[in-house]
Structure formats: C-alpha cells, structure tokens
Amino acid sequence: MDIFKGMSLFQFQERFKTDNDCREYLAYYKWKEGFTCTKCSHNDAWNSPSEPFTKICKHCLRPHSATAHTIFHNIKFPLRTAFHIVFEMATTTKSLSALQMARKYDINRKTAWLFMRKYRESLKSSGDYPVDNDGGDSVVYVDEFVVGEYEGGKTGRSNDAKKRKIVMVVEATKRNGIKRVYGLKIKNYSGKELRRIFDKHIALGTEVITDGWKGYNRMDGDYDMIEDKSGMKKNNNPMNRMIQQFKSWIRGVYHKSSHEHIESYLNEFCFRINRSQWKETHFHSAILKGIAHQPFPKKLIPCAV
Ligand SMILES: [Zn+2]
C-alpha cells in the first residue's frame, strides 16, 4: 500500500473516503513488519472472518483490531474524523485549538481535546537521533525561556512560579536555517534541570552555544560549551526565532497553557518543525507515531480542561 503523501484536504478526502479506508491503512502499516500477539507474543494470526482488518492470534485466539494499542483505540467519534484531525494537526502550520476542532468536525469539545492530547503525547521524539554539529555543518544552541499569561515583553530568566519554564535546543545550518528543535519543561534553571535536555537530545562532545548562564557550567567537559550572550539576542538568531515562534503560536491558538500541558504543545511544535523538511510524508509519520503509541487511560491525564 502506498504511503499517502497528499497535502490538500481534497487529496485526503479522495484517499480516505470511509472508516474502512482508514482501518485498512492502519492495519497495513501496523503489521507491515509482521504480527506479534500482545497477550502471548505469538507471531502467527488469521484474518478475522467477521471483522474487517482484524487479526486473530493462532495461539491464544485473542482478536487484534487495527486500532488496538494505538491512539485511535476506543475513540468516541468515527475513525475518519480522527484521521482528519491528525491530517490537520500534521500538515497545517498553525494547528487549531480543541474548541475549533470540535466545532469543525461536530464532536464534543472534551473528546476532541482528549484525542488531540493523546496525539501530541505520541509525538514525543524520544526515538529520534541526537542533535550534533553534523561534522561542522550545524550550529547548536540551547536557551531557556518562560511562557506566561502576562509577559509584557520581558526576556531572560524569570522565577515567577506562574510561568512555565522551558529549555530548548536548536540545531541550525550555518546560514541560520532551522534543522531541528526540541524542548522540555523544567522546574528551575539549575544545572541539574538544564542537563536533562543535553542527556536526552544532544550528542556528547557537541559544541553548544548558550548565553553563558552559570547553570550551564555543569555541562563543561561533556560538551564544548561556548558563551555568546550578544549573538543569542540578535533577531535573526535561530534560537531566538524559535522561541518567538513558539510563544506566538501558544498565544494565538491556546489561551491557556497549564503546567501539565505545555510539554505536549512543545511536542507538537517540535514535530512540525522537525518534519518540515519532509513535508509530504508528514501525515504518514504522524500516523506511524500514532500506531506505535500505547493508549493511556484517561485518569493519567492531569485535569482535562
Ligand atoms: Zn496470542
């Protein structure tokens, strides 16, 4: 089955006309490398005679639907609607809020919010390869910033408890083009907290430019830390541009971004930036991430708004 590379809503609607078109797509890519039973780990299955795109384990007879163990499991609206939402979130530069999405697809706002939250969660880029200087072709920046309701244009480190503190890493080309970006919510600006983004996303030994904040001293030795306070403040600085872009997106689309959800918005933002080089497979990558994701119970999501 061909990877769907369409970019327009028209192409999307032509390709996915029914729920079964979506189910077929999920089933194909879910079991492309083979089947493994989630109950007994057996590798052989029959196709269900009664349910389309469902497999039955030959050993324990457990049925496996195309949506089981994906973000599409047990959703309270048609699968095609869920595909629509993923398509919109993956291909448009400015994603809609849950309220806008709910109105557009005539579904409950909470249901829309919950699904979008699960989708963002599935975008966590933990499996991606680490940021580095790409043999001297890339420049890597790390900086921290806050997102709050009343910022008043203030920059730099703020210790206001109401604001969400974020550390971000940007890998840019030498001409200031963006290659990749990752962000993490942090509790404070200590070396220990800042270190988390280095451990998670940056290859050891990478040359990293920061504003010279003392918290970064902790990384000395493991990384080649460079201080460039004035360079970081310039308008065309890639780090600065990403921070401004993230802030204006959050301000424009989401009126509230609580402590609990800021990281999932970061995931979506980073996913969109990081995939922008392969735009035509954007939707497909999003579907693959949705398949790989284990659905989590509602109670684990803090305060569904
Ligand atoms: Zn089994």
Side-chain angles (χ1 to χ4, degrees), residues 68-95:
H69 298 279
T70 75
I71 57 163
F72 304 100
H73 188 55
N74 272 344
I75 47 171
K76 293 184 173 60
F77 45 86
L79 184 57
R80 190 166 174 263
T81 303
F83 264 52
H84 256 115
I85 294 176
V86 169
F87 181 76
E88 292 231 23
M89 291 177 81
T91 54
T92 51
T93 43
K94 273 202 173 184
S95 186

Side-chain angles (χ1 to χ4, degrees), residues 37 39-42 57 59-62:
C37 177
K39 191 181 172 191
C40 73
S41 303
H42 192 70
C57 173
H59 182 73
C60 72
L61 304 182
R62 166 178 281 221

